[in-house]
Each structure stands twice: as C-alpha cells, then as structure tokens.
Amino acid sequence: MITTDTFVFYEHKGEFIHIADCSISEIQNSLGRLEYLEGYISIQYYGTELAGAAYYDNIIPLWKNIIDGLSEYSENRNAIIFFPDNASTMTLRSVNHTQIVLGLNESHYALTEKEFFHALLISARKFFEWLGDDVYTKKSRQLEIVLVNLR
C-alpha cells in the first residue's frame, strides 16, 4: 500500500504538521504573506517512508512540479521532477505495463504505477483544495483520469 501526505511548517509550533491539522489561514497568520511555504510530501510504501522531512522544500511549487511531471510522464513514460529550492530530484520511469521506478536522488524504488499515481494525485488535490488553488485542483483531477487510463 502506497500513501502520500503533505506536511507544512507551522511557525507557532516550530514543527512540520499535517495539513489536516491546521488551516491555511493559521499558516498565513504565522507567516504574514504566503510567498514561501516550507513543507514536504511524505511517501510511504507499506509503512516504510521513502520520502519525508529530509526532502522539505517550498511546497507550493514542489506540488506544481510534481503535477507537471506526472503530465509529462503520461506522454513520455518518464519524467524528471526538480525540487524548487534544493538539489533534489524525483525521477519517474516506466518499467513495464504495471510498474514504475521512483528515483529520489540516489535511491530507487519499484512501485505499482496506478497505485502510486493515484496516491500522489489524491494528496495533490487535497493540498490544492486546502490552499484554495482551483487551477491546480482541477489539473490534478484531470491528470488522475489521464493516468488511471494509461493502460
């Protein structure tokens, strides 16, 4: 089972918290203007964390880059996703009709394609709904349909 979740840095608590545990208005009040929002995407495979707080970055463009990378993958069967403010990369490469290799810097994991994309896109949709960004909420819904129908 693959799960993905989004965590943001909450200044008042001095720690990363799950987006379900705070509102965007609470985060905005602690930061002032919301131009940079530290956060990370947790990717877990049967309870083992593949990506977590070590990959924190500016979470808004990171999610946008991931959605754009999934769109690229749907066309080319591979993609490179750059983290916006650090040297990390996420690579997606098709292995066969059902599996994908997820690369996070030097680590690589074989995952079930549809399950991984479904988990990512559900989390992306939740994040952009939490953020109030209708454009990327709609884009993540469109991509979910495209990627589920890849094979």
Side-chain angles (χ1 to χ4, degrees):
M1 177 176 194
I2 300 168
T3 58
T4 58
D5 293 295
T6 305
F7 293 81
V8 293
F9 190 75
Y10 190 27
E11 190 79 27
H12 289 316
K13 293 186 178 186
E15 64 185 11
F16 289 102
I17 61 173
H18 192 278
I19 60 170
D21 297 332
C22 65
S23 69
I24 187 62
S25 61
E26 289 175 276
I27 298 296
Q28 281 181 307
N29 288 338
S30 70
L31 291 175
R33 294 181 60 186
L34 190 61
E35 293 176 1
Y36 184 90
L37 179 60
E38 281 188 337
Y40 69 91
I41 300 164
S42 172
I43 301 172
Q44 296 189 2
Y45 182 68
Y46 287 96
T48 300
E49 193 165 64
L50 308 181
Y55 290 96
Y56 80 90
D57 205 327
N58 188 349
I59 194 71
I60 298 168
L62 176 57
W63 264 123
K64 289 179 179 183
N65 289 357
I66 288 173
I67 289 176
D68 291 342
L70 293 177
S71 181
E72 179 184 334
Y73 180 89
S74 72
E75 296 171 14
N76 304 322
R77 307 301 294 158
N78 63 58
I80 299 173
I81 300 164
F82 295 96
F83 284 58
D85 292 326
N86 70 49
S88 297
T89 58
M90 176 187 292
T91 57
L92 307 172
R93 183 176 46 86
S94 178
V95 175
N96 57 37
H97 295 293
T98 61
Q99 286 197 310
I100 185 170
V101 171
L102 165 67
L104 291 164
N105 293 334
E106 301 302 318
S107 301
H108 296 85
Y109 309 96
L111 303 171
T112 304
E113 181 183 81
K114 283 187 181 182
E115 183 182 5
F116 177 61
F117 289 150
H118 181 73
L120 270 181
L121 288 165
I122 293 296
S123 288
R125 186 183 328 150
K126 287 179 184 176
F127 174 74
F128 287 112
E129 286 172 351
W130 176 83
L131 189 63
D133 187 332
D134 291 336
V135 172
Y136 272 85
T137 299
K138 289 175 186 171
K139 189 170 182 176
S140 67
R141 285 185 184 139
Q142 291 168 346
L143 265 175
E144 188 172 350
I145 292 166
V146 169
L147 291 170
V148 167
N149 293 321
L150 273 175
R151 301 204 189 258

